[in-house]
Amino acid sequence: QKEVEQDPGPLSVPEGAIVSLNCTYSNSAFQYFMWYRQYSRKGPELLMYTYSSGNKEDGRFTAQVDKSSKYISLFIRDSQPSDSATYLCAIALYEGGQFYFGTGTSLTVIP
Amino acid sequence: KAGVTQTPRYLIKTRGQQVTLSCSPISGHRSVSWYQQTPGQGLQFLFEYFSETQRNKGNFPGRFSGRQFSNSRSEMNVSTLELGDSALYLCASRPSVGELFFGEGSRLTVL
């Protein structure tokens, strides 16, 4: 069993829609949760970084962690064509530890 | 502040050859990690170096090796290349702990 599972999509939504991206993980010991965005032919860039349950908001992006269900989500409000990319969730046991990445969800926002 | 720089960006090799990839981390970052990214497997962790010592290691065969120099620059080497080694190799740096900052990757094609 992989440490983290992510629905690969692809996901296609109209501009302005609310997008929900989700991952599940296997071990309740994981404490650090991240979301990365990767544009085509680029390296991943960090969107959100959190180590607690609950919500963390940054502009149009909200990361949600439910440790009891071992479920993490990223919500994108008012989605824009520039949000079209692959979104990767990542988890780590401790702050200096190895990151485990989901396989990524490909998102297309249609103008 | 300059980002993570990887060279070369693209390269083509044939089976049985070896390859060396280079990574210059963000100034001040002492940790460098390497990942292999393929469409089917996503991002898979190879190894992490911190202050010239390997701190974490993924589940890859011994053909994959790395090192870090005193200026934090890192190289990874793949010997006896196989077709399945074709992938995007990503380098990421961080100060010591915390989030990873990725380069744009080196795309290796093995023929």
Side-chain angles (χ1 to χ4, degrees):
Chain A
Q1 184 185 11
K2 296 191 76 171
E3 288 80 9
V4 59
E5 301 278 358
Q6 182 174 8
D7 183 357
L11 194 58
S12 184
V13 301
E15 183 175 354
I18 296 174
V19 176
S20 172
L21 304 166
N22 307 295
C23 291
T24 58
Y25 60 96
S26 58
N27 187 340
S28 58
F30 284 107
Q31 299 184 68
Y32 291 87
F33 309 93
M34 283 89 27
W35 284 96
Y36 281 81
R37 177 176 61 194
Q38 185 175 22
Y39 290 114
S40 180
R41 301 191 177 280
K42 297 287 188 182
E45 57 177 337
L46 181 72
L47 280 175
M48 306 285 278
Y49 181 88
T50 182
Y51 55 86
S52 58
S53 277
N55 294 350
K56 182 176 181 179
E57 193 173 314
D58 184 2
R60 297 184 295 109
F61 298 89
T62 300
Q64 188 176 80
V65 177
D66 182 346
K67 288 187 176 182
S68 61
S69 302
K70 290 180 284 193
Y71 198 82
I72 57 176
S73 301
L74 178 71
F75 299 96
I76 307 174
R77 291 184 300 281
D78 187 26
S79 56
Q80 303 294 309
S82 59
D83 295 329
S84 298
T86 296
Y87 290 81
L88 300 148
C89 61
I91 58 177
L93 284 169
Y94 55 95
E95 202 172 13
Q98 175 185 336
F99 282 27
Y100 297 90
F101 283 84
T103 50
T105 300
S106 176
L107 170 67
T108 301
V109 180
I110 303 167
Chain B
K1 202 173 195 182
V4 177
T5 304
Q6 291 188 245
T7 56
R9 291 291 314 280
Y10 302 91
L11 64 167
I12 300 173
K13 294 285 187 178
T14 56
R15 279 180 297 174
Q17 287 187 310
Q18 73 164 13
V19 66
T20 299
L21 309 177
S22 180
C23 174
S24 293
I26 292 172
S27 178
H29 287 192
R30 295 166 63 192
S31 163
V32 173
S33 299
W34 288 90
Y35 287 81
Q36 181 194 67
Q37 187 175 34
T38 57
Q41 298 296 317
L43 270 163
Q44 292 188 283
F45 175 72
L46 283 155
F47 28 67
E48 179 185 13
Y49 287 87
F50 178 76
S51 293
E52 302 179 67
T53 301
Q54 191 177 84
R55 179 158 75 173
N56 291 301
K57 187 179 188 302
N59 189 28
F60 275 79
R63 299 185 298 108
F64 293 82
S65 63
R67 59 178 175 168
Q68 186 180 31
F69 303 96
S70 58
N71 61 0
S72 293
R73 192 177 69 84
S74 177
E75 289 182 347
M76 68 161 283
N77 183 275
V78 187
S79 62
T80 319
L81 285 166
E82 301 176 359
L83 295 178
D85 297 333
S86 294
L88 180 67
Y89 289 89
L90 289 160
C91 168
S93 73
R94 54 183 173 177
S96 170
V97 297
E99 62 264 37
L100 297 171
F101 295 84
F102 283 88
E104 296 199 331
S106 293
R107 186 166 296 279
L108 170 66
T109 301
V110 182
L111 302 176

